[in-house]
């Protein structure tokens, strides 16, 4: 038993914002209320001055296992996730082998049950080998534990295959997650096309590469009525399509990464830690994404945690793989860029990390008795410096190394067990 004492409970599902105690017992939230009696033998967590939120969910990460364990493993990746306050993470299927069949899904689920610091919810491939030809074994993977499908790393290859995937997945209750990109426009590009890519002499990717694909998929969501989720959305035009789809009551949702609401193309230097896909967008795109996070048209913040072993990133910009670490800086960046700059409320921030992503998956997340005892406790005042060398991740590819932050996850509780607790002063 664990009694979380005197925290400020922020629960978007019930719009609760109050100083309350939360009692966890046998993997569930047993009681929520003021001045709860501590049952005999209960461990006490003093959360005075801290926020107590439902457990954070990350809809988008890469744990690299099986097959790329030099960059990350389920064990190291979930340790990093726990430090970031995440109680559950959805891992993309672009492993080796690709998670396109039940045996691979089961391997991930079993490994996570043994060594995972937090819950791991696998995402299955849309197509066999993510090759964009025939549908993968989606129903069998669903039985093995996948929560969504995606060919992330690349888009679903054709409109026809996307339609098939949507029609197949809808009765299974699985959203199709799209990495929106037109490969013919993006080919060879390493950053966003614009004046800054010209200045750096790097090949650009036009923003339309993303929005063309989002437009296509929104049309197909209209045709099929199925659930579509746009991953790591980065452009204003993509957001227009999403807003329009929502207005038509289509089941279209989207996520934005912390790096896309924090940085923009002019931040890119000859440092491969600024190379990601989609690339950092324009200043105007960034402002528009922040407005979407504020007004509810974007549903979730997702990290796209994409570890790459140092040797693979320490090459010329053109040759480096896309992607950066994301778990440990996500909350701090959201506090700094969104809450501390008065773009969104603290309640909305919690929603973007909890009930928002949960709804994308078709589940609920709240601080109420009977719910799973997944709780994220964080501070809005704790000052700290991010040192990537101290990360439990196997990789070091972050553009935020050395960044100073105000606000941090203080404890990550999964199924009633403390998976991570920040050392140092209690607030
Ligand atoms: Zn992607």
């Amino acid at each position: 038993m664990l009694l979380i004492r005197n925290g400020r409970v922020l629960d978007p599902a019930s719009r609760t914002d109050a100083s309350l105690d939360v009692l966890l017992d046998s993997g569930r939230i047993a009681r929520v209320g003021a001045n709860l009696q501590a049952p005999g033998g209960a461990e006490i967590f003093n959360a005075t001055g801290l926020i107590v939120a439902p457990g954070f969910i990350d809809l988008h990460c890469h744990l690299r296992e099986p097959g790329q364990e030099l960059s990350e493993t389920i064990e190291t990746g979930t340790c990093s996730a726990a430090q970031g306050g995440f109680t559950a993470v959805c891992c993309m299927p672009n492993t080796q082998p690709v998670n396109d069949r039940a045996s691979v899904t089961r391997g991930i689920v079993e490994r996570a049950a043994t060594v995972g610091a937090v819950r791991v919810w696998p995402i299955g491939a849309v197509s066999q080998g993510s090759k964009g030809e025939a549908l993968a074994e989606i129903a069998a993977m669903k039985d093995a534990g996948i929560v969504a499908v995606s060919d992330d790393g690349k888009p679903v290859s054709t409109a026809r295959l996307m339609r098939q995937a949507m029609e197949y997945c809808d009765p299974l209750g699985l959203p199709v997650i799209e990495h929106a990109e037109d490969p013919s426009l993006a080919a060879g590009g390493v950053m966003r096309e614009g004046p800054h890519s010209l200045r750096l002499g790097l090949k650009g990717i036009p923003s339309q590469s993303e929005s063309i694909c989002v437009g296509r998929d929104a049309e197909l969501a209209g045709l099929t009525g199925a659930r579509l989720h746009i991953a790591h959305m980065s452009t204003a035009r993509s957001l227009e399509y999403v807003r329009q789809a929502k207005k038509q009551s289509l089941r279209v949702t989207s996520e934005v990464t912390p790096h896309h609401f924090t940085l923009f193309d002019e931040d890119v230097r000859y440092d491969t830690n600024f190379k990601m896909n989609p690339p950092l967008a324009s200043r105007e795109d960034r402002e528009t994404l922040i407005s979407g996070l504020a007004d509810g048209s974007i549903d979730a913040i997702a990290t796209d945690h994409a570890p790459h072993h140092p040797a693979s990133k320490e090459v010329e910009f053109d040759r480096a793989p896309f992607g950066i670490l994301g778990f440990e800086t996500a909350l701090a960046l959201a506090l700094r860029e969104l809450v501390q700059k008065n773009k969104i409320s603290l309640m909305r921030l919690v929603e973007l990390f909890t009930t928002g992503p949960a709804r994308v998956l078709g589940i609920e997340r709240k601080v109420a008795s009977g719910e799973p005892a997944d709780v994220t406790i964080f501070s809005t005042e704790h000052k700290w410096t991010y040192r990537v060398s101290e990360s439990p991740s196997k990789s070091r590819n972050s553009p935020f190394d050395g960044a100073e932050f105000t606000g941090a996850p203080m404890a990550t509780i999964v199924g009633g067990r403390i998976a991570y607790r920040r050392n140092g002063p209690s607030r």
Side-chain angles (χ1 to χ4, degrees), residues 122-328:
I123 294 169
V126 169
S127 61
Q128 293 172 23
S130 282
K131 289 195 179 113
E133 290 156 12
L135 286 184
E137 286 178 14
I138 295 172
M141 286 193 289
K142 155 101 188 180
D143 291 340
I146 63 165
V147 296
V149 295
S150 179
D151 273 348
D152 187 51
K154 42 192 169 181
V156 176
S157 62
T158 65
R160 178 190 152 88
L161 186 68
M162 183 49 123
R163 178 187 185 175
Q164 280 178 357
M166 284 175 166
E167 287 174 343
Y168 191 86
C169 287
D170 195 35
L172 294 176
L174 296 173
V176 182
I177 301 179
E178 179 66 296
H179 164 117
E181 177 176 9
D182 182 307
S184 68
L185 274 179
V190 295
M191 68 172 287
R192 169 60 80 77
E193 180 177 301
H196 196 59
S197 69
L198 280 175
R199 266 197 296 276
L200 292 178
L202 293 170
K203 184 158 167 35
I205 301 172
S207 68
Q208 286 79 359
S209 164
E210 178 180 292
S211 53
I212 284 171
C213 190
V214 174
R216 178 196 81 172
D217 294 343
E219 289 289 339
L220 294 169
L223 175 65
T224 61
R227 283 156 70 190
L228 166 69
H229 179 72
I230 305 298
H232 45 49
M233 190 165 64
S234 73
T235 82
R237 186 76 186 131
S238 300
L239 179 56
E240 264 181 59
Y241 282 117
V242 167
R243 280 182 168 145
Q244 205 181 349
K246 278 190 190 285
K247 228 179 258 164
Q248 297 167 326
S249 302
L250 299 181
R251 294 150 79 201
V252 175
T253 54
S254 65
E255 71 192 28
V256 168
T257 72
H259 47 278
H260 285 109
F261 66 66
T262 300
L263 302 170
F264 59 105
D265 61 348
E266 288 176 34
D267 291 313
V268 174
R269 294 180 265 122
Y270 292 110
D271 171 346
T272 59
N273 291 326
F274 290 87
K275 182 174 177 182
M276 55 283 274
N277 192 14
L280 297 174
S282 69
R283 187 191 292 264
E284 298 73 37
D285 283 323
R286 175 178 169 272
E287 291 306 312
T288 306
L289 293 174
I290 290 172
S291 76
L293 289 163
D295 70 16
S297 42
I298 293 166
D299 301 84
I301 293 171
T303 67
D304 195 6
H305 176 84
H308 291 288
H309 188 258
S312 70
K313 270 289 206 186
E314 283 162 15
V315 296
E316 300 87 89
F317 202 94
D318 285 339
R319 289 176 50 221
F322 292 102
I324 60 169
L325 302 183
F327 290 138
E328 293 160 54

Side-chain angles (χ1 to χ4, degrees), residues 337-358:
E337 297 299 320
L338 305 176
V339 176
Q340 288 154 14
K341 293 183 180 171
N342 292 318
K343 308 285 186 183
I344 67 172
S345 67
L346 204 49
M347 181 69 90
R348 176 68 183 144
L349 172 135
V350 170
E351 188 172 37
L352 285 162
F353 279 108
T354 60
T355 42

